[in-house]
Amino acid sequence: MRDVAIIGAGMIPFGRRDEDTLMEMLAYAALKALDDAAQSDTGHVLPPIDAVYVANMGGGMLQRQTAIASSLVDRLSLMPAAAETIENGPASGASAVKNGLLAIASGYYDCVLVVGGEKMREVTGWRATDFVATMTHPQAEYPYGITLPGMAGMFTRLYMEQYGVTREHLLAISLKNQEMGTLNPYAHVEMALDRDGIFDSPHSIVNNPVTADPLHLYDLCPVSDGAAAIVLCSLELAKKLSKPPVLIAGFGQATDTQTLQEREDPTDLKAVTIAAQKAFAMANLTPADIHVAELHDAFTILEIAESEHVGFFPKGEGGKAALAGKTRLGGQIPINVSGGLKARGHPVGATGVAQLVDIVWQLRHELPANRQVQGAKNGLTVNFGGFGNNVLAFVLKRVEQ
Amino acid sequence: MKKEIAITAYKCKQCGKIHYPYHDRCLVCKGREFEKMKPEGDAHLLTYTAIFNLPWGFDQRFLIIGVAEFENHVKAMGQIKVDSVDQLKTGMKVRPSWEPIRVQYGENVYGLKFEPIE
Amino acid sequence: MAVDMELEAVLRPIQYPMVPYPPKVITLANGKKMVIRQAMREDVPAILKSVHPCLFIERDYYDIVSARLYGELLAWYRYRVKSEYCLMGQVDGYLVGVVNGRLEDEKVGMSYHTLAIDRGLRIGSHLFAAKMEYHIEYLNQDAVLIVAESPIGFRRWMVEYPLEATKIPHELGGGDSYRLTREIYLKAKPRLVVGDRPVPQDLMDEAMADIKFADDNTIRERIAGLKGR
């Protein structure tokens, strides 16, 4: 198998992009990634794009548009490149990257474009909530009115009871990630939260109401529009470019039961553990070697639980670590320096790709000082699908030229 | 008239593992033969939540939903008949019933409901 | 504009006496303090300056809500509506939201509109709650009739309180009214109506000084921009 590197990365600002169609967002992000790769290609060694993988979860339901990848290659004039749309729930982004990775690693393709995008704000909150809830079991869960925040609420209750996670711990994640969002021009939410306004003050009952007990409004990521893209090629080829290649050193994916109740221990996110372990084993690295991580904090509890399941902290310690500032920029392991899903936003198909884009920028040391993890060499991403029933992890590594 | 709980669970004929919902192969031993079973008796609450941002199709302000385990170890999700989560605790006994859980296309859809037992 | 006071006496509807709304201050999610206070009739031309840019924003029905609010406030200013009032929210002296309504009679209120000029801070929720507080607790009314013109309004008022459906036509036209009764209000109050009184003098002075207004582009960006929530 060949080593595969990321040689181009691009993203458009997440938010409410009423003016743009889904296809426009995908095209804008793709062009940014292609231009980024081209800039690096001063010796004109890059071959044309062989294949395009497009991550999207809701085009069929929300835009009534299917075969999105075929449409995108046409728009980008990339014919006759191979193209397919990857739908894997909120893990679609990382799944699309995986497909690109395997295609190049196998030697079949030389240069691949991966784009992830979602347009969710076209519909009302009720419809968007219903769309996301279609991931749940169609007979045993969905008819009851369960939502993904509801699943997270049930999970949080168990996690609080078994591991002593408190609202203070969850609050530490909301405050940290929204603070980082104010520094990220790509973030949907650019508003820092105030502890008094969302927790201590009696007025917080209106500002930060219970949304999926015990989770509150600011424990949830926003519903966003957005797109992100990367360009992949073999490491060998990447070494001929001017920007430092970012090696996909490790990758892992694992699944779990669809319903929480059928898991032996519903607080055990086995798919996260296995995906991360596989990624670390392939990269020949350990959690202690990671300098920066983008974890899937669709709900604050998930950042805590994932930080434990990937091995940064022992079980029950993730919340305390966050409260102690260990996951902030400058801390032991900076998590979601981008603001995470919580602040960057969560256009479901885009998220898994956007996480990689942010880590690429970190490992190339391209970010402004207030967001850059100094000297970062190794990064981790976790993209969490369903309620932990399909999880992908990537370990990325800066390769010095 | 009280309706029968129209849920079928599946017990693996090979290893005894109880499944709900249905799987084509046993989650433990991959066996393909199952004995159908009905949830029996009361249940105890494993976890629960109150959801305030409801999906399309629900007009109420909030829904309280939980997962409970029946006396014969079938586990299932249901709506909980209380006004507030303050009336709930994990591990508490709940009585199941089969009642309308939502309206779709003008028709009642039936499903599991749980009610705390005093 | 020259006003013929003899004709005016015929044209102007009667006004019920209304006790003033006592100002309150609310800490928002970003830690800023929002003062909610009653607008004076002479504040109207200034308030309309902030409503004006919203007339051209289609997102979330801002155009229809602000067009109607513009007309209602102007009608109040020109004495063409019965017993109207207006409450407003200010942060750092800047106008961030407006709500208005009127008295149908001494016991029944007619809710008009809620316009949040800054978003993502639940300003609309706080202002709507203040409006209900005014009708029930200070004007001592028994009920308020309400309709929603946007899905967000429907979710915030009809679903969150929750309001009861009636067959009473609302004067904004369209559908039948929903009704907030004293009983519904008192039940919802602990989770929806907040605020501290009295407002500290420095905040009150800031609010009572000339009302500050964000420029049109800032208002449009806050409501209809990429970061709109």
Side-chain angles (χ1 to χ4, degrees):
Chain A
M1 286 224 303
R2 298 196 288 181
D3 282 333
V4 178
I6 302 174
I7 53 161
M11 195 179 336
I12 56 170
F14 289 7
R16 277 189 70 168
R17 302 189 63 110
D18 289 8
E19 314 301 317
D20 302 325
T21 63
L22 171 63
M23 198 48 59
E24 282 164 344
M25 293 196 298
L26 292 167
Y28 299 157
L31 289 173
K32 282 188 160 195
L34 290 169
D35 289 349
D36 183 46
Q39 250 179 31
S40 204
D41 186 20
T42 43
H44 303 287
V45 294
L46 280 182
I49 297 288
D50 294 310
V52 180
Y53 295 94
V54 180
N56 174 262
M57 176 177 166
M61 281 186 75
L62 304 177
Q63 281 79 42
R64 291 189 60 75
Q65 185 176 5
T66 55
I68 287 162
S70 316
S71 181
L72 184 66
V73 286
D74 171 63
R75 215 181 138 120
L76 295 173
S77 184
L78 288 174
M79 289 80 77
E84 50 247 328
T85 310
I86 310 280
E87 193 280 293
N88 189 24
S92 299
S95 272
V97 174
K98 175 194 91 172
N99 278 276
L101 163 72
L102 296 180
I104 293 173
S106 73
Y108 195 84
Y109 291 139
D110 288 320
C111 198
V112 161
L113 169 70
V114 181
V115 194
E118 207 71 57
K119 187 168 170 64
M120 304 173 78
R121 295 302 294 255
E122 193 158 356
V123 297
T124 63
W126 286 285
R127 299 274 187 197
T129 303
D130 181 59
F131 152 61
V132 178
T134 58
M135 277 189 283
T136 61
H137 194 284
Q139 286 84 38
E141 294 178 329
Y142 177 82
Y144 291 94
I146 190 67
T147 61
L148 265 289
M151 300 285 272
M154 293 197 295
F155 175 81
T156 306
R157 182 173 308 287
L158 293 172
Y159 222 84
M160 284 177 152
E161 287 181 3
Q162 285 184 37
Y163 295 103
V165 166
T166 64
R167 260 200 86 193
E168 293 261 353
H169 297 149
L170 301 175
L171 196 66
I173 307 291
S174 309
L175 293 170
K176 168 178 73 75
N177 292 0
Q178 288 212 204
E179 182 191 332
M180 293 316 291
T182 63
L183 305 173
N184 181 357
Y186 293 92
H188 182 172
V189 183
E190 289 179 331
M191 180 183 83
L193 294 171
D194 174 75
R195 196 194 140 100
D196 194 32
I198 64 166
F199 186 64
D200 294 322
S201 159
H203 306 168
S204 68
I205 196 166
V206 179
N207 297 332
N208 191 17
V210 174
T211 309
D213 186 84
L215 296 173
H216 290 63
L217 177 67
Y218 287 109
D219 287 308
L220 278 55
C221 66
V223 175
S224 319
D225 304 330
I230 58 172
V231 180
L232 302 172
C233 74
S234 68
L235 179 63
E236 197 188 337
L237 191 57
K239 283 182 174 168
K240 297 176 183 160
L241 306 178
S242 62
K243 291 186 186 177
V246 174
L247 173 71
I248 302 186
F251 141 73
Q253 181 174 13
T255 51
D256 203 345
T257 62
Q258 186 169 13
T259 65
L260 271 182
Q261 75 243 21
E262 288 204 287
R263 298 181 194 167
E264 213 171 309
D265 174 1
T267 61
D268 186 9
L269 298 173
K270 270 190 192 162
V272 175
T273 308
I274 296 169
Q277 280 172 352
K278 285 185 173 181
F280 283 127
M282 180 175 162
N284 203 17
L285 293 173
T286 69
D289 297 318
I290 298 297
H291 304 118
V292 57
E294 286 286 318
L295 302 183
H296 191 110
D297 59 329
F299 313 104
T300 49
I301 186 68
L302 286 184
E303 182 171 316
I304 293 173
E306 288 168 26
S307 73
E308 297 170 359
H309 285 80
V310 302
F312 290 145
F313 305 105
K315 264 213 163 171
E317 297 299 315
K320 292 175 206 159
L323 192 58
K326 291 182 183 175
T327 59
R328 296 178 67 87
L329 187 67
Q332 178 190 324
I333 169 68
I335 295 175
N336 290 331
V337 177
S338 67
L341 282 62
K342 181 75 192 76
R344 185 181 53 223
H346 186 23
V348 280
T351 288
V353 185
Q355 290 178 317
L356 288 176
V357 170
D358 268 303
I359 295 291
V360 166
W361 289 340
Q362 285 287 355
L363 301 187
R364 284 184 186 167
H365 307 162
E366 284 178 349
L367 292 168
N370 59 8
R371 294 206 288 135
Q372 178 65 51
V373 176
Q374 288 308 313
K377 285 194 171 65
N378 304 319
L380 173 80
T381 64
V382 172
N383 191 190
F384 184 95
F387 200 84
N389 64 345
N390 202 329
V391 179
L392 290 97
F394 288 103
V395 172
L396 303 188
K397 201 170 171 179
R398 177 189 168 96
V399 176
E400 298 300 342
Q401 293 287 62
Chain B
M1 197 184 76
K2 209 169 171 259
K3 284 187 178 279
E4 186 200 352
I5 292 173
I7 276 180
T8 305
Y10 300 86
K11 186 174 183 174
C12 175
K13 283 187 177 172
Q14 207 162 278
C15 75
K17 164 85 181 166
I18 293 167
H19 301 77
Y20 177 74
Y22 180 74
H23 301 260
D24 293 274
R25 299 205 305 160
C26 172
L27 290 176
V28 174
C29 74
K30 319 293 180 202
R32 296 188 190 192
E33 288 190 34
F34 300 93
E35 184 187 317
K36 287 185 182 178
M37 61 188 284
K38 288 283 170 196
E40 278 169 18
D42 291 329
H44 69 274
L45 198 55
L46 298 176
T47 186
Y48 55 90
T49 185
I51 304 171
F52 287 83
N53 281 353
L54 291 169
W56 187 256
F58 290 89
D59 293 334
Q60 58 267 59
R61 190 164 74 82
F62 63 92
L63 261 180
I64 298 182
I65 290 181
V67 174
E69 181 172 351
F70 288 81
E71 282 165 15
N72 63 349
H73 304 300
V74 173
K75 295 177 195 168
M77 179 178 283
Q79 292 176 358
I80 308 177
K81 297 201 284 184
V82 285
D83 299 325
S84 156
V85 288
D86 298 341
Q87 296 158 258
L88 300 177
K89 255 182 88 165
T90 52
M92 80 189 303
K93 278 190 101 177
V94 289
R95 178 164 299 134
S97 56
W98 195 250
E99 296 183 36
I101 50 165
R102 72 189 296 168
V103 175
Q104 268 180 334
Y105 311 111
E107 300 278 328
N108 277 333
V109 175
Y110 280 74
L112 256 182
K113 286 209 179 186
F114 297 111
E115 187 172 20
I117 298 171
E118 296 303 325
Chain C
M1 189 168 80
V3 175
D4 181 333
M5 288 312 294
E6 258 182 88
L7 263 177
E8 281 297 302
V10 179
L11 293 173
R12 290 182 182 186
I14 60 145
Q15 306 290 329
Y16 292 112
M18 284 190 269
V19 293
Y21 177 80
K24 65 179 179 180
V25 60
I26 295 172
T27 303
L28 300 174
N30 62 0
K32 294 272 190 185
K33 308 280 183 193
M34 174 167 72
V35 174
I36 301 182
R37 68 173 180 96
Q38 190 151 28
M40 300 293 109
R41 185 187 303 272
E42 49 272 29
D43 293 327
V44 168
I47 295 170
L48 292 181
K49 272 197 267 175
S50 276
V51 178
H52 190 263
C54 306
L55 293 172
F56 310 99
I57 298 173
E58 287 181 25
R59 181 184 284 188
D60 298 334
Y61 301 88
Y62 263 81
D63 50 2
I64 180 170
V65 169
S66 52
R68 287 174 175 243
L69 177 66
Y70 197 100
E72 290 153 7
L73 291 179
L74 200 56
W76 177 41
Y77 188 59
R78 303 268 194 235
Y79 300 93
R80 289 296 179 271
V81 62
K82 186 170 91 177
S83 299
E84 186 177 345
Y85 68 88
C86 171
L87 307 179
M88 55 189 178
Q90 289 169 272
V91 173
D92 297 333
Y94 281 88
L95 186 73
V96 294
V98 186
V99 279
N100 66 335
R102 67 175 197 86
L103 309 193
E104 172 69 12
D105 59 37
E106 279 160 320
K107 283 298 161 195
V108 178
M110 187 69 69
S111 172
Y112 277 168
H113 286 97
T114 302
L115 184 76
I117 298 171
D118 205 348
R119 302 195 70 188
L121 288 165
R122 296 183 77 91
I123 284 168
S125 290
H126 285 305
L127 284 170
F128 182 84
K131 171 154 78 169
M132 298 304 120
E133 181 188 34
Y134 189 34
H135 279 281
I136 303 291
E137 292 197 47
Y138 295 99
L139 299 172
N140 201 26
Q141 295 204 291
D142 293 334
V144 189
L145 299 176
I146 302 152
V147 283
E149 285 174 342
S150 73
I152 295 175
F154 186 81
R155 184 161 226 166
R156 291 275 179 271
W157 332 138
M158 283 62 188
V159 180
E160 274 191 26
Y161 273 75
L163 304 180
E164 64 183 27
T166 73
K167 290 285 173 203
I168 306 167
H170 194 279
E171 78 181 50
L172 294 177
D176 293 334
S177 301
Y178 283 76
R179 179 164 52 201
L180 176 103
T181 60
R182 177 172 292 271
E183 192 194 349
I184 293 172
Y185 171 80
L186 292 175
K187 212 170 154 197
K189 185 182 172 185
R191 58 185 171 81
L192 292 171
V193 188
V194 296
D196 297 334
R197 294 189 174 95
V199 178
Q201 197 55 47
D202 56 328
L203 284 174
M204 205 58 220
D205 289 347
E206 188 178 45
M208 294 303 288
D210 280 347
I211 306 167
K212 294 185 205 161
F213 303 94
D215 62 77
D216 287 13
N217 284 337
T218 305
I219 290 174
R220 268 195 289 272
E221 184 57 34
R222 278 182 192 161
I223 294 170
L226 190 62
K227 310 299 178 184
R229 287 180 281 275

